Amino acid sequence: MSPPEISENQILDALRPIVDPDFGKNIVELGFVKDIEIDGGRVSFAIELTTPACPIKEEFERDAKHRVGAIEGVKDVAVSMTSQSRPSPGSVESAREDVLPGVLRTIAVASGKGGVGKSTTALNLALALQKAGAKVGVMDCDVYGPSLPLLTGVHERPATQGKKIIPLEGLGLKLMSIGFFTNDDSPVIWRGPMVHGLIQQFLSDVLWGELDYLIVDMPPGTGDAALTLTQNAPLSGAVIVTTANDLSLIDARKGLEMFRKVNIPILGLIENMSFFTPPDLPDRKYYIFGEGGGKQMAQDMDVDFLGEVPIDPRVVEDGDQGRPILLSHPESDTAKAFESLAAQVTRKLARLEGEVLDSAAG
Ligand SMILES: Nc1ncnc2c1ncn2[C@@H]1O[C@H](COP(=O)(O)OP(=O)(O)OP(=O)(O)O)[C@@H](O)[C@H]1O
Ligand SMILES: [Mg+2]
């Protein structure tokens, strides 16, 4: 007797219990299951997620394999995990086709004050997204203190193609920094119109290619450079970095207002350099600048708190040699905090994109 034929419906039914927590719907209903092929007892299909950096990708894959494998007559299951290209919702006013072509989502990393770890957070967030499977670029727009060259160890002057600029590559990321165009020995005094022009050029003339995420290291505060970016870049969301000793609500509020005015979602606030754990006392947390400030501030500003990043001297030592902590000590709590940030940001953006889709459909 020949074995019973397996139907597409049986496969869909087996996959229906798998729910995407970000959308609150199952993967069949969401249309994520694609390309089902049945060849005797061999079944293959694709699960197409909204982002390659989906933090529960592996869980989906395992679960799907297990459930379909349990169908009577199935001998072999091949699941391919893919992701669809969906444009960044961005801010409505600033969505223009000639701005950042090929870039699906743009995340601004901002702070009220300098020196809180904005650049460190931007780069490690980028690396964590890349580690999760995404194509990522970093655009350092800090006109006053571009630090991407130092933090990545990449220093060349980018090549051009006509009037377009080709980003540099390093640490598996595409990189662009104002620092690639300046000379260490001669600090540039930027005037408003120059800053505006340069940032405009960064937004329209860099050949990023296809990117899932572009991380923007924002200029500090709410000056000309920051305004040019928020008003002209299709930012999908912003992450605010603070430290426990920089709990100036006034500055943070100003920053928040700047994003809110142009409808850029605030993904949340992260507190950097929160506490120190001595290597020989791994269970201790010394809150050198006080505990709970960031969380409180997030609450006061009505934004999500995205976590505490511990102080780790290796951030400075390795960072200044082009070895971000996520690569040099991926097992450290500091690296893990940046990975958790990346997972939260990914899910929040997926949820926002889901809302945009829902409102477009309904
Ligand atoms: N979690 C951390 N543990 C230890 N040192 C850190 C941590 N985060 C950042 N640093 C260090 O703090 C300094 C400031 O960090 P960073 O340059 O990222 O801040 P920034 O906000 O971009 O500053 P700027 O305003 O100068 O651009 C750097 O020397 C960096 O190595
Ligand atoms: Mg910086």
Side-chain angles (χ1 to χ4, degrees):
M1 215 178 80
S2 62
E5 286 230 353
I6 299 155
S7 74
E8 203 168 301
N9 272 336
Q10 270 179 293
I11 294 169
L12 292 174
D13 285 343
L15 292 172
R16 240 179 275 275
I18 306 179
V19 171
D20 186 319
D22 292 324
F23 297 107
K25 292 182 182 158
N26 74 60
I27 60 172
V28 175
E29 188 182 0
L30 286 164
F32 288 179
V33 181
K34 301 258 155 88
D35 307 329
I36 300 180
E37 279 178 35
I38 304 160
D39 177 13
R42 308 169 74 114
V43 174
S44 69
F45 54 91
I47 299 180
E48 190 186 74
L49 301 170
T50 55
T51 164
C54 174
I56 44 175
K57 186 163 65 177
E58 272 113 41
E59 210 174 293
F60 278 157
E61 187 176 353
R62 253 197 321 271
D63 204 8
K65 235 181 161 147
H66 177 76
R67 287 175 187 277
V68 174
I71 299 172
E72 200 193 331
V74 171
K75 295 200 177 60
D76 183 54
V77 186
V79 186
S80 56
M81 302 300 289
T82 60
S83 68
Q84 72 194 92
S85 301
R86 179 182 286 173
S88 143
S91 51
V92 181
E93 291 96 307
S94 57
R96 268 177 33 203
E97 261 172 36
D98 58 335
V99 173
L100 298 176
V103 175
L104 290 180
R105 307 172 185 87
T106 312
I107 304 169
V109 178
S111 68
K113 194 177 99 170
V116 298
K118 185 167 51 70
S119 302
T120 302
T121 303
L123 182 57
N124 283 287
L125 168 62
L127 288 165
L129 290 168
Q130 184 219 33
K131 194 171 164 187
K135 286 196 278 278
V136 188
V138 183
M139 184 160 82
D140 174 13
C141 287
D142 193 337
V143 273
Y144 309 104
S147 49
L148 200 63
L150 177 75
L151 295 178
T152 56
V154 174
H155 296 276
E156 297 124 70
R157 205 181 169 86
T160 50
Q161 219 175 68
K163 88 186 243 287
K164 301 287 181 187
I165 312 167
I166 299 165
L168 296 177
E169 288 184 38
L171 312 177
L173 305 167
K174 298 247 174 113
L175 308 170
M176 187 48 61
S177 170
I178 287 172
F180 295 150
F181 299 91
T182 55
N183 186 325
D184 287 347
D185 318 320
S186 57
V188 181
I189 316 283
W190 295 97
R191 287 174 225 292
M194 280 169 76
V195 170
H196 186 78
L198 193 82
I199 289 177
Q200 288 286 6
Q201 204 178 351
F202 266 29
L203 293 177
S204 51
D205 294 344
V206 178
L207 296 173
W208 291 106
E210 298 284 313
L211 290 184
D212 296 302
Y213 297 93
L214 177 68
I215 310 300
V216 183
D217 187 350
M218 292 284 292
T222 50
D224 282 342
L227 283 175
T228 301
L229 269 164
T230 52
Q231 291 167 356
N232 295 282
L235 298 172
S236 322
V239 171
I240 315 283
V241 185
T242 185
T243 56
N245 62 339
D246 170 38
L247 297 173
S248 155
L249 266 173
I250 298 168
D251 287 348
R253 282 241 160 80
K254 266 198 234 153
L256 222 65
E257 276 309 302
M258 174 178 77
F259 289 112
R260 285 193 170 146
K261 223 177 249 163
V262 284
N263 292 328
I264 295 165
I266 308 292
L267 303 172
L269 180 134
I270 185 150
E271 186 187 275
N272 187 26
M273 302 191 246
S274 297
F275 58 85
F276 180 67
T277 297
D280 51 339
L281 294 168
D283 299 326
R284 293 276 171 85
K285 285 182 178 178
Y286 291 103
Y287 284 87
I288 297 167
F289 307 117
E291 187 179 350
K295 211 176 265 175
Q296 183 61 47
M297 185 169 186
Q299 218 169 44
D300 292 346
M301 299 194 310
D302 198 21
V303 298
D304 289 337
F305 186 63
L306 303 174
E308 298 175 338
V309 182
I311 297 173
D312 190 327
R314 296 173 299 188
V315 170
V316 187
E317 289 153 27
D318 299 343
D320 288 356
Q321 296 180 43
R323 302 264 307 140
I325 188 102
L326 210 104
L327 298 179
S328 71
H329 296 282
E331 78 300 337
S332 65
D333 288 342
T334 299
K336 298 231 175 83
F338 287 128
E339 282 193 34
S340 155
L341 171 68
Q344 292 179 75
V345 161
T346 303
R347 301 178 75 150
K348 268 171 202 257
L349 285 176
R351 225 171 286 152
L352 285 170
E353 286 160 23
E355 282 167 18
V356 170
L357 276 194
D358 277 355
S359 65

